[in-house]
Amino acid sequence: MNPANQRTAEGILFTDQYQLSMAQLYFRQGIHEQMAQFDHFYRRNPNYGLHEAGYCISAGLEWLVNWMQEVYFHPEDLAYLRSQRTRSGAQMFDEDFLAYLGEYGNFSQISLHAIPEGRVVHPNVPLSIVRGPLLMAQILETPLLNQLNYQTLIATKAARIREVSRAALVLEFGLRRGQERGANAGTRAALIGGADFTSNVGLSHVLGYPPKGTHAHAMVQVFLAMGHSELDAFRAYAECYPDDCLLLVDTVNTLESGVPNAIRVFEELRAQGHTPVGIRLDSGDLAYLAVQAAHMLDAAGFAQTSIVLSNDLDELSIWQIQSQIVDEAHRHAMDADAVIKRLIYGVGTRLVTSHGEGALGGVYKLVALQKDQVWHPAIKIADSPNKMTNPGLKQAWRLYDQRGQATADLITLEDEDPRQQPQITLRHHSDHSRHRTLHQHELTWIEPLLVEVLRNGQLVYDLPSLDAMRQTRIADVDRLDTGVRRIMNPHIYHVSLSPALWDLKQELLQAMGK
Amino acid sequence: MNPANQRTAEGILFTDQYQLSMAQLYFRQGIHEQMAQFDHFYRRNPNYGLHEAGYCISAGLEWLVNWMQEVYFHPEDLAYLRSQRTRSGAQMFDEDFLAYLGEYGNFSQISLHAIPEGRVVHPNVPLSIVRGPLLMAQILETPLLNQLNYQTLIATKAARIREVSRAALVLEFGLRRGQERGANAGTRAALIGGADFTSNVGLSHVLGYPPKGTHAHAMVQVFLAMGHSELDAFRAYAECYPDDCLLLVDTVNTLESGVPNAIRVFEELRAQGHTPVGIRLDSGDLAYLAVQAAHMLDAAGFAQTSIVLSNDLDELSIWQIQSQIVDEAHRHAMDADAVIKRLIYGVGTRLVTSHGEGALGGVYKLVALQKDQVWHPAIKIADSPNKMTNPGLKQAWRLYDQRGQATADLITLEDEDPRQQPQITLRHHSDHSRHRTLHQHELTWIEPLLVEVLRNGQLVYDLPSLDAMRQTRIADVDRLDTGVRRIMNPHIYHVSLSPALWDLKQELLQAMGK
């Protein structure tokens, strides 16, 4: 796509056609400026086929806000809409509507509350709440979902990889397998959710992080094609980067050529006063090779060097590698723990595509509409009680128990404050028979989850740094029960409704004959 | 991301750090301007878990070329590289290297051959061949893979959905579930591979297509929240778009409310001389509902209206819906074929994320390096014979049998021309024992697959229109045996090596002790 087309395709027209059809209908009905509220939430945690997430990590907000503040209907966009024709050949969008879009077609009247990036989030809790004139709030649906769903999906996958990787470095390598330019959003989300660094140079620059990476098989192949050897290639690399020497050892034969050659070069570096960094394994039985390579490196006095693993890694394969090392290391008189502690994980395809579940099913549902200064709650009914939306203007809270652990998220009506209630009733969001009561003395903290981000289009929130988002994520994950953190069969974290919200929902359902 | 950062993150630094580390090493070794050739290919067709593809559809080339012609190392990019530090605190990239990048760091010396967009392609056949100075050809790896892998993945998925959808319209609805801005590339690839239209407004504009879409549940919810009815909402829509009236009928209750209300509005439209377009079903048992809705529409004299289905559709669910309609229609005295023929498929999440296989494993491998004006073939060896690369400068051909059907793809050395050979030996690309011989009289056509796209950075190829790409895809798919087109357990299409290429490969493997 050339740059001019890219500006068009990523501007305000980065939305679905039906948003514009509906927008004109609202305009025609004279209800386009009625205040509306939409909730953005997802209904279930990602299920990766063999295993499922116990929580998600919120991400994408800052870039969404950047986008909202940037875009509006340019004359060229309006000219395109003017050119659209109905089946009968008439102009699809009328001049008065286009004139309105030209003047008011931007997000300057939109207010946004959201759960900050890096936070642990759960199904059915509003991750963001949009309030504004119906017409522009409607058009926002598609770009909001596009930007928040994907980054949340990837931050969540990264958090799972972080969970199994424990204290090890995790490097994001997915640029070549991401969805075109969206890979940059994937990189960012991975860094929020659990990756320490990325190989993505441009995005590292933008975020102020050093990118990571050393060399590929191609470098060794170049030397071989010129009639030189793997050892020559390693020496050239060591000469170029004597203090950052990390060598990919599987181009020829890992244990017979790569590791011995790397050790030879490391010895030369050591003699010159440099500290070699390590090796990378990118094929074969990674657990077996890691143990063998560690054995050889130890014997040569390089017990401090790292071993980077890569090749379609994800949370399950990392887990498997660790288990296999625990099983096998002692057979080679190696300390499994020491081998695992020197590992670094390079994670690409399966992180940036969220292997096993390639999309987060986040939705954006009308929950209230203002008429004559009064808010009217709206509900989306569905065949399954679990898919009925929660109506009305709402707040979301997190309840921490005596141990300081998160015990439930509570969704209330906007004017409720559970901090002021001596006892708090938690209702299951769809099952009538399930509820429990907590007393204040059972809780240490009731935390409001949503912060005000945009007030009439103006940023009223200090966007946190990436480091701050990571600290948030670490703190939030720490406050989850280990059962919820499990990467397989996690405990289901409680998301509850207040009795007032529950009653409102039942009232609306009854009114609709459900 | 703000626009300035986006320019940085999508410019020449849209690559992996190790490409730059290697680039400096090549520069330091004085080999950075040696001509190199890299092949881009993939090793196996997508396997979606329960089913697998028999072929892929090439896509992404035009946008890659646009990108290559646009980017270079800006002073700001160089300043960032200058700021990178080694572990010892020294400058990672030296001034002479940065000065070189500032002067020559662009793709103006790169030549590119590629298989055009929309063509059927197969594993191990080079989809694109890059020739140019080693340094810049190396840096191109990541962005080339990023852009070609994803669009080829999605064009392939779209072709499968097209296959099961037969002559029905297929609409792409995936913008909200794609990977952020990469969703635009997904839309484009879907249109190349098999979707007829998209809901994506901006990209429709850029490509010169009319976007498709009518209304969402939200519109009906708005009317309900204001105390009006679904019928009121439908009437408002029909008034606004009398000749394009397609109504989403599952907001309240599909068969009890949505379809009867739609029919009432259609009757009103008919009385006014308008032709209603149809209904959309977005939840529930789509096959059952389609049969019932068709029955009701027929009874009201609207047999010509369309029924759009959406909700996590992909090639398997469309297939299932069709089978179920065949089974069930006669019970309701309906003609299954007539019901199926009025269906339109709206395909979102599972198309744009390539459900079941979220990445194409395309790779970019050094195959030759020039030294003293002589090309030296390069090979990447691997544990598995199937992963060994095919070395040297190559051509790719497609052989058509007496029926005009594609019977095999043949990879030869660059100076071979199978059209000049009385008989053609086809060798399996990794299995020594498998080969066959074809005589010219058994073939109707031997077609070179790769076209010259860039010569020293200059476009020397007429980029085809999207319509032309689609015609190419339709023609190519038609020339595949039905066994290869099957969406489950497809026949394996033959990709063969010429004896000369096979011998070169064996020679190199022996020289490396394999």
Side-chain angles (χ1 to χ4, degrees):
Chain A
M1 198 158 37
N2 67 45
N5 282 341
Q6 191 180 352
R7 275 192 299 279
T8 300
E10 296 180 0
I12 193 112
L13 298 184
F14 190 68
T15 195
D16 290 306
Q17 174 77 357
Y18 74 7
Q19 312 292 8
L20 299 173
S21 310
M22 288 189 280
Q24 177 166 259
L25 181 142
Y26 298 148
F27 182 76
R28 200 60 59 228
Q29 295 284 315
I31 57 175
H32 53 294
E33 290 187 343
Q34 272 182 239
M35 294 297 282
Q37 184 160 314
F38 288 84
D39 285 0
H40 164 233
F41 60 96
Y42 66 93
R43 293 197 178 94
R44 60 169 184 78
N45 288 314
N47 177 327
Y48 306 93
L50 296 171
H51 48 111
E52 63 185 304
Y55 60 93
C56 282
I57 300 292
S58 167
L61 182 62
E62 181 175 335
W63 285 13
L64 171 67
V65 167
N66 289 159
W67 182 87
M68 288 173 66
Q69 297 198 304
E70 195 66 37
V71 301
Y72 60 91
F73 284 90
H74 293 248
E76 191 215 343
D77 301 327
L78 297 172
Y80 172 60
L81 298 184
R82 186 173 291 114
S83 75
Q84 287 193 28
R85 288 288 171 270
T86 67
R87 270 162 224 261
S88 58
Q91 198 167 311
M92 175 78 81
F93 298 107
D94 296 329
E95 288 301 328
D96 55 348
F97 173 64
L98 296 175
Y100 182 85
L101 291 184
E103 191 154 2
Y104 302 104
N106 57 60
F107 298 110
S108 67
Q109 297 307 308
I110 295 286
S111 295
L112 173 70
H113 285 73
I115 300 183
E117 297 189 87
R119 295 223 60 173
V120 163
V121 289
H122 298 288
N124 295 308
V125 178
L127 305 189
S128 49
I129 295 181
V130 169
R131 189 181 289 186
L134 176 59
L135 188 154
M136 289 308 297
Q138 181 74 65
I139 288 176
L140 182 59
E141 177 180 24
T142 306
L144 180 144
L145 291 176
N146 170 277
Q147 298 188 63
L148 299 184
N149 279 343
Y150 175 61
Q151 287 206 38
T152 299
L153 178 78
I154 301 305
T156 301
K157 189 76 169 177
R160 296 169 60 71
I161 290 168
R162 163 54 55 212
E163 184 75 28
V164 295
S165 302
R166 303 185 191 189
L169 273 185
V170 171
L171 309 178
E172 189 280 316
F173 287 168
L175 184 51
R176 67 190 59 192
R177 301 285 169 75
Q179 288 181 11
E180 212 242 5
R181 284 158 172 79
N184 279 330
T187 297
R188 177 178 186 270
L191 291 171
I192 293 171
D196 295 289
F197 297 100
T198 176
S199 64
N200 180 332
V201 184
L203 207 76
S204 291
H205 178 14
V206 163
L207 297 176
Y209 277 66
K212 293 291 173 184
T214 58
H215 73 89
H217 298 113
M219 186 196 84
V220 178
Q221 278 185 276
V222 164
F223 278 77
L224 296 178
M226 293 192 306
H228 303 307
S229 67
E230 184 185 54
L231 183 61
D232 294 330
F234 286 0
R235 278 196 176 123
Y237 193 84
E239 193 184 332
C240 212
Y241 305 106
D243 295 307
D244 297 80
C245 189
L246 199 151
L247 298 167
L248 175 61
V249 294
D250 69 340
T251 307
V252 179
N253 181 304
T254 301
L255 298 180
E256 289 173 28
S257 173
V259 178
N261 282 332
I263 287 173
R264 211 159 141 189
V265 170
F266 289 174
E267 284 166 344
E268 292 164 8
L269 280 173
R270 181 165 57 189
Q272 295 156 31
H274 299 289
T275 307
V277 175
I279 61 171
R280 178 160 73 98
L281 304 171
D282 187 46
S283 59
D285 182 338
L286 294 178
Y288 169 78
L289 292 172
V291 171
Q292 297 297 322
H295 189 72
M296 293 161 79
L297 288 164
D298 284 2
F302 295 106
Q304 303 309 312
T305 50
S306 296
I307 300 176
V308 181
L309 305 183
S310 54
N311 193 15
D312 277 348
L313 296 188
D314 64 8
E315 62 270 47
L316 282 198
S317 54
I318 292 171
W319 192 18
Q320 192 280 325
I321 287 166
Q322 293 167 343
S323 302
Q324 188 180 336
I325 290 174
V326 168
D327 290 345
E328 289 187 2
H330 72 276
R331 283 185 228 148
H332 306 281
M334 297 288 292
D335 174 14
D337 205 44
V339 176
I340 290 170
K341 282 212 169 101
R342 73 199 291 177
L343 298 181
I344 293 173
Y345 304 105
V347 186
T349 309
R350 291 182 172 217
L351 171 53
V352 78
T353 63
S354 184
H355 184 72
E357 180 98 324
L360 182 75
V363 295
Y364 181 90
K365 295 293 178 189
L366 181 76
V367 295
L369 191 68
Q370 208 177 45
K371 191 180 168 187
D372 306 331
Q373 310 298 318
V374 178
W375 281 103
H376 297 264
I379 192 166
K380 162 77 178 69
I381 60 177
D383 297 336
S384 141
N386 196 42
K387 287 186 87 174
M388 308 277 187
T389 59
N390 294 314
L393 308 177
K394 294 186 289 293
Q395 287 275 12
W397 310 83
R398 185 155 296 161
L399 278 51
Y400 297 91
D401 66 15
Q402 291 283 2
R403 303 164 302 151
Q405 296 296 98
T407 183
D409 281 11
L410 174 65
I411 314 174
T412 67
L413 295 177
E414 193 181 41
D415 54 6
E416 292 185 275
D417 188 344
R419 293 171 297 193
Q420 309 303 324
Q421 303 165 359
Q423 60 181 44
I424 301 164
T425 301
L426 309 176
R427 300 207 66 136
H428 187 274
H429 95 110
S430 59
D431 182 345
H432 182 273
S433 66
R434 288 163 69 184
H435 51 87
R436 63 172 170 150
T437 301
L438 288 170
H439 294 86
Q440 289 288 354
H441 68 81
E442 297 175 82
L443 299 171
T444 49
W445 189 23
I446 299 176
E447 181 193 22
L449 290 173
L450 292 151
V451 299
E452 187 178 11
V453 178
L454 294 175
R455 189 186 303 152
N456 292 329
Q458 292 302 305
L459 190 66
V460 292
Y461 171 63
D462 278 336
L463 291 164
S465 68
L466 188 63
D467 276 337
M469 295 177 202
R470 292 166 145 192
Q471 291 309 318
T472 297
R473 183 250 307 159
I474 291 166
D476 264 14
V477 172
D478 274 349
R479 287 180 302 214
L480 288 175
D481 274 343
T482 51
V484 175
R485 292 173 61 170
R486 273 205 302 260
I487 63 161
M488 294 184 79
N489 303 317
H491 279 163
I492 293 173
Y493 181 85
H494 284 204
V495 172
S496 305
L497 307 190
S498 70
L501 174 55
W502 169 268
D503 291 343
L504 174 64
K505 190 172 178 177
Q506 300 314 311
E507 230 173 78
L508 287 169
L509 290 176
Q510 278 162 25
M512 297 189 72
K514 288 279 164 180
Chain B
M1 198 158 36
N2 66 46
N5 281 342
Q6 192 180 352
R7 277 191 298 278
T8 299
E10 296 180 359
I12 192 109
L13 299 184
F14 190 68
T15 195
D16 288 307
Q17 172 77 357
Y18 74 7
Q19 312 292 9
L20 299 173
S21 309
M22 288 189 281
Q24 176 164 260
L25 181 144
Y26 298 148
F27 182 76
R28 201 57 63 227
Q29 295 282 316
I31 56 176
H32 52 295
E33 291 187 341
Q34 273 181 238
M35 294 298 282
Q37 184 160 314
F38 288 84
D39 286 0
H40 164 233
F41 61 95
Y42 66 93
R43 293 198 178 95
R44 60 169 184 78
N45 289 314
N47 178 326
Y48 306 94
L50 297 169
H51 48 111
E52 62 185 306
Y55 61 92
C56 282
I57 300 292
S58 168
L61 182 63
E62 180 175 333
W63 285 12
L64 171 67
V65 167
N66 290 158
W67 183 87
M68 288 174 67
Q69 297 198 304
E70 195 66 35
V71 301
Y72 60 92
F73 283 91
H74 292 248
E76 192 215 344
D77 300 327
L78 297 172
Y80 172 60
L81 299 184
R82 186 173 289 115
S83 75
Q84 287 192 28
R85 289 287 172 272
T86 67
R87 280 179 165 76
S88 57
Q91 199 168 311
M92 176 79 80
F93 298 107
D94 296 329
E95 288 301 327
D96 54 350
F97 173 65
L98 295 176
Y100 182 86
L101 290 184
E103 191 154 1
Y104 303 103
N106 57 60
F107 297 111
S108 66
Q109 296 307 309
I110 295 285
S111 295
L112 173 69
H113 285 72
I115 300 183
E117 297 189 87
R119 295 222 60 172
V120 163
V121 290
H122 298 287
N124 296 308
V125 178
L127 305 190
S128 50
I129 295 181
V130 169
R131 191 180 288 187
L134 176 59
L135 188 153
M136 288 308 297
Q138 181 74 66
I139 288 176
L140 182 58
E141 177 180 23
T142 306
L144 180 145
L145 291 176
N146 170 277
Q147 298 187 62
L148 299 184
N149 279 344
Y150 175 60
Q151 286 206 37
T152 299
L153 178 78
I154 301 307
T156 301
K157 190 76 169 175
R160 296 170 61 71
I161 290 167
R162 163 55 54 211
E163 183 75 31
V164 295
S165 302
R166 304 181 194 192
L169 273 185
V170 172
L171 309 178
E172 190 280 316
F173 287 168
L175 183 51
R176 68 189 59 193
R177 300 287 167 77
Q179 289 181 9
E180 212 242 6
R181 284 158 172 80
N184 279 329
T187 297
R188 177 179 187 269
L191 291 171
I192 293 172
D196 295 288
F197 297 100
T198 175
S199 64
N200 180 332
V201 184
L203 207 76
S204 291
H205 178 14
V206 162
L207 297 176
Y209 276 66
K212 294 290 173 186
T214 56
H215 73 88
H217 299 113
M219 187 196 82
V220 178
Q221 279 185 274
V222 163
F223 278 78
L224 296 178
M226 293 192 305
H228 304 308
S229 67
E230 185 186 52
L231 182 61
D232 295 329
F234 287 180
R235 280 198 175 121
Y237 193 84
E239 192 184 333
C240 212
Y241 306 106
D243 295 306
D244 298 81
C245 188
L246 198 150
L247 298 168
L248 175 62
V249 293
D250 70 339
T251 307
V252 179
N253 182 303
T254 300
L255 298 180
E256 290 171 27
S257 172
V259 178
N261 282 332
I263 287 173
R264 209 158 143 192
V265 170
F266 290 172
E267 284 165 345
E268 293 164 7
L269 280 173
R270 183 165 55 188
Q272 295 157 30
H274 299 289
T275 308
V277 175
I279 61 170
R280 178 158 74 97
L281 304 170
D282 187 46
S283 59
D285 182 338
L286 294 179
Y288 169 79
L289 293 173
V291 171
Q292 296 298 323
H295 189 72
M296 294 161 78
L297 287 164
D298 284 2
F302 297 106
Q304 304 306 314
T305 50
S306 297
I307 300 176
V308 182
L309 305 183
S310 55
N311 192 14
D312 277 347
L313 296 188
D314 63 8
E315 61 271 48
L316 283 198
S317 54
I318 291 171
W319 191 19
Q320 192 280 324
I321 286 166
Q322 293 167 344
S323 302
Q324 188 181 335
I325 290 174
V326 168
D327 290 346
E328 290 188 2
H330 73 275
R331 282 185 230 151
H332 305 283
M334 296 289 292
D335 174 14
D337 204 43
V339 176
I340 290 171
K341 282 212 170 103
R342 74 199 290 176
L343 298 181
I344 293 174
Y345 304 105
V347 187
T349 308
R350 291 181 172 218
L351 170 54
V352 79
T353 63
S354 183
H355 185 72
E357 181 100 336
L360 181 75
V363 295
Y364 181 89
K365 293 294 176 187
L366 182 75
V367 295
L369 192 68
Q370 209 179 45
K371 190 181 168 187
D372 306 331
Q373 309 297 318
V374 179
W375 281 102
H376 296 264
I379 192 165
K380 163 75 179 70
I381 59 177
D383 297 336
S384 139
N386 196 43
K387 288 187 83 174
M388 308 278 188
T389 59
N390 294 314
L393 308 177
K394 294 184 289 291
Q395 287 275 14
W397 310 83
R398 184 155 296 163
L399 278 52
Y400 297 91
D401 66 16
Q402 292 284 4
R403 302 164 304 152
Q405 295 296 97
T407 183
D409 280 11
L410 175 65
I411 314 173
T412 68
L413 294 178
E414 192 181 40
D415 53 7
E416 293 185 272
D417 187 343
R419 292 171 297 192
Q420 310 303 325
Q421 302 165 3
Q423 58 181 46
I424 300 163
T425 302
L426 309 175
R427 300 207 65 136
H428 185 274
H429 97 110
S430 59
D431 182 345
H432 182 272
S433 67
R434 289 164 68 185
H435 50 88
R436 63 171 172 151
T437 301
L438 288 170
H439 295 85
Q440 289 288 355
H441 68 81
E442 298 175 82
L443 299 172
T444 48
W445 188 23
I446 300 176
E447 181 193 22
L449 289 174
L450 291 151
V451 299
E452 188 178 9
V453 178
L454 294 175
R455 190 185 302 152
N456 293 328
Q458 292 302 306
L459 190 65
V460 291
Y461 170 64
D462 278 336
L463 291 165
S465 68
L466 188 63
D467 277 336
M469 294 176 203
R470 292 165 145 192
Q471 291 309 318
T472 298
R473 184 249 308 158
I474 291 166
D476 264 14
V477 172
D478 274 348
R479 288 181 301 216
L480 287 175
D481 274 344
T482 50
V484 176
R485 292 171 62 170
R486 273 204 302 261
I487 64 161
M488 292 185 80
N489 303 316
H491 279 163
I492 293 174
Y493 181 85
H494 284 204
V495 172
S496 303
L497 307 189
S498 72
L501 174 55
W502 169 267
D503 291 344
L504 173 65
K505 190 171 178 178
Q506 299 314 310
E507 229 173 76
L508 287 170
L509 291 176
Q510 277 162 25
M512 296 188 72
K514 286 283 161 177

